Amino acid sequence: MQKKIDEFLKDVKTVAIAGHVNPDGDCVGSCMGMYLYLKDNFPQIQTEVYLEAPRRAFYVIRDLDKAKQDCVEYPCDLLILLDISSHDRIGVASCLLKSAKRVLCLDHHKTNRDSYTWLFNYPEISSTCEVVWNFLDSDKIGEKCAEALYMGMVHDTGVFQYASTSPRTMRIAASLMEKGIPFSRLIDETYYQKTFVQNQLLGRALVESFLMFDGKLIVSCIRKRDMDFYHATPADMDGIVSQMRNTSGVEVSVFMYELSEGTWKVSLRSVDQVDVSTVAQFFGGGGHARAAGVTMQGSCYDVINNLTQHLEKDLRQ
Ligand code: 5GP
Ligand code: MN
């Protein structure tokens, strides 16, 4: 039997909702969807949402300006963690993990093996927004909540393209459309549109990319000094690795940018054969079979060497 969020809210007076650092569309969508649903249907509960530095484009989601960027520890009755993949990625709201009376984690990352009061993890489901929708009462979803959930589904399915998109995903998306949401605008403004800086960085990453293993692997990196030149933030790097993956013949794309001298945020994408989550997990990261990430140390060549040693077997077949 599908559990509903109501079951976790009995005797609850304070709720905190948190996602992961550098929140992507699914993270912003699921956190805001849950937040707006609780605000609409449980006004007696004091609900806060924590999202660290969301991209400007995500502010089409209403009330995102109410999301808190910093956090003071307090004993909330229920902490709801969404799309986090691993407890070490919670960011600002991680202080709440110690003091929260109960923790409910909803996720869809196969690498999430943490323990919470309740963990509902569905790796076969395309987005955390879809997982969240299952916990809500469809009739009680308002337009604002529907916009947030729809946006997250769009992002984690690559606009309903990836193999994780199921007939049920489409049915849920349809029911959200029926709430009267501006779906074209949500897709265009949050998924396809890029800022000038984002496009410049994308261009740079593509120009400097190179192929390995007979064109099955494409790699590129952007150094800190180049990011500083463009005044770029980590959020500006979203989507570069997916564009690299669109190169014909490529099975795996690897894009990395330097967080600080010698520390690299690495993103991996796979077309349909290689499970990149196992490689990411080996180096302390995680994610999904077709999209994973990890933070690694060294020069960019050290990072590439370490990764390719693990990818070689899969890509030589
Ligand atoms: P991205 O490459 O877009 O940062 O992340 C791809 C997927 O891998 C996302 O689902 C994200 O949550 C997950 N991911 C990215 N970096 C990490 C990491 O350092 N640790 C874990 N556990 N998951 C990650
Ligand atoms: Mn997700």
Side-chain angles (χ1 to χ4, degrees):
M1 252 285 276
Q2 172 63 51
K3 287 203 172 289
K4 293 288 172 189
I5 194 69
D6 313 42
E7 298 173 40
F8 303 91
L9 297 173
K10 293 189 182 111
D11 304 323
V12 164
K13 293 194 176 63
T14 51
V15 170
I17 301 166
H20 58 75
V21 286
N22 192 19
D24 58 11
D26 187 31
C27 178
V28 171
S30 55
C31 289
M32 289 308 296
M34 181 65 88
Y35 173 74
L36 292 163
Y37 184 88
L38 296 189
K39 283 281 179 197
D40 279 353
N41 297 291
F42 299 87
Q44 73 284 7
I45 298 178
Q46 195 196 318
T47 305
E48 300 287 2
V49 59
Y50 297 87
L51 282 165
E52 237 169 292
R55 260 201 282 141
R56 255 304 2 115
F58 291 143
Y59 281 81
V60 295
I61 299 304
R62 286 182 274 172
D63 294 349
L64 181 55
D65 54 330
K66 303 216 170 95
K68 300 209 155 154
Q69 309 263 343
D70 43 36
C71 183
V72 186
E73 191 176 336
Y74 72 100
C76 62
D77 293 333
L78 180 66
L79 172 62
I80 304 178
L81 298 173
L82 300 172
D83 198 45
I84 55 163
S85 176
S86 167
H87 68 275
D88 56 13
R89 304 186 72 226
I90 300 171
V92 279
S94 54
C95 65
L96 299 179
L97 202 50
K98 286 180 247 127
S99 50
K101 292 183 191 147
R102 277 156 285 174
V103 182
L104 167 65
C105 181
L106 305 183
D107 205 351
H108 71 136
H109 288 91
K110 62 188 274 199
T111 52
N112 187 336
R113 306 254 161 81
D114 296 332
S115 74
Y116 302 99
T117 321
W118 303 282
L119 168 66
F120 296 96
N121 190 29
Y122 305 88
E124 69 289 354
I125 292 186
S126 63
S127 62
T128 301
C129 282
E130 188 173 333
V131 174
V132 166
W133 187 92
N134 288 334
F135 278 79
L136 308 183
D137 179 342
S138 176
D139 294 338
K140 293 185 186 158
I141 293 179
E143 198 181 325
K144 289 201 252 180
C145 167
E147 287 171 359
L149 295 180
Y150 186 88
M151 180 191 76
M153 291 175 71
V154 161
H155 279 250
D156 261 24
T157 59
V159 197
F160 307 108
Q161 179 206 345
Y162 302 149
S164 56
T165 310
S166 68
R168 183 173 165 79
T169 311
M170 304 308 285
R171 278 187 214 102
I172 295 171
S175 93
L176 296 171
M177 273 174 110
E178 278 163 0
K179 305 278 177 186
I181 60 171
F183 55 91
S184 304
R185 186 173 151 231
L186 286 170
I187 296 173
D188 190 42
E189 291 184 13
T190 70
Y191 191 85
Y192 289 114
Q193 263 186 38
K194 304 283 172 198
T195 62
F196 184 64
V197 164
Q198 280 179 307
N199 272 335
Q200 293 236 297
L201 288 161
L202 169 66
R204 192 157 178 147
L206 294 180
V207 163
E208 292 184 4
S209 66
F210 55 92
L211 297 171
M212 297 175 74
F213 303 116
D214 299 324
K216 289 184 185 164
L217 175 68
I218 187 165
V219 181
S220 191
C221 52
I222 292 187
R223 290 182 174 75
K224 182 81 174 66
R225 61 167 188 264
D226 295 320
M227 286 179 69
D228 291 344
F229 175 80
Y230 291 101
H231 301 289
T233 63
D236 292 322
M237 304 298 173
D238 254 22
I240 293 179
V241 69
S242 306
Q243 188 56 44
M244 289 166 60
R245 198 205 59 151
N246 289 341
T247 313
S248 64
V250 158
E251 287 294 337
V252 172
S253 59
V254 174
F255 172 68
M256 60 184 114
Y257 61 87
E258 208 172 10
L259 292 166
S260 58
E261 176 98 30
T263 300
W264 298 86
K265 170 73 180 71
V266 183
S267 285
L268 302 109
R269 297 292 184 271
S270 151
V271 176
D272 65 2
Q273 277 163 20
V274 181
D275 181 344
V276 285
S277 73
T278 56
V279 188
Q281 203 169 22
F282 180 85
F283 291 106
H288 313 284
R290 307 284 163 259
V294 56
T295 299
M296 292 173 73
Q297 311 290 331
S299 72
C300 68
Y301 301 106
D302 295 333
V303 173
I304 294 165
N305 279 336
N306 285 329
L307 289 170
T308 49
Q309 274 172 30
H310 283 261
L311 289 167
E312 188 170 7
K313 186 172 63 57
D314 289 325
L315 292 170
R316 288 243 187 257
Q317 279 167 3

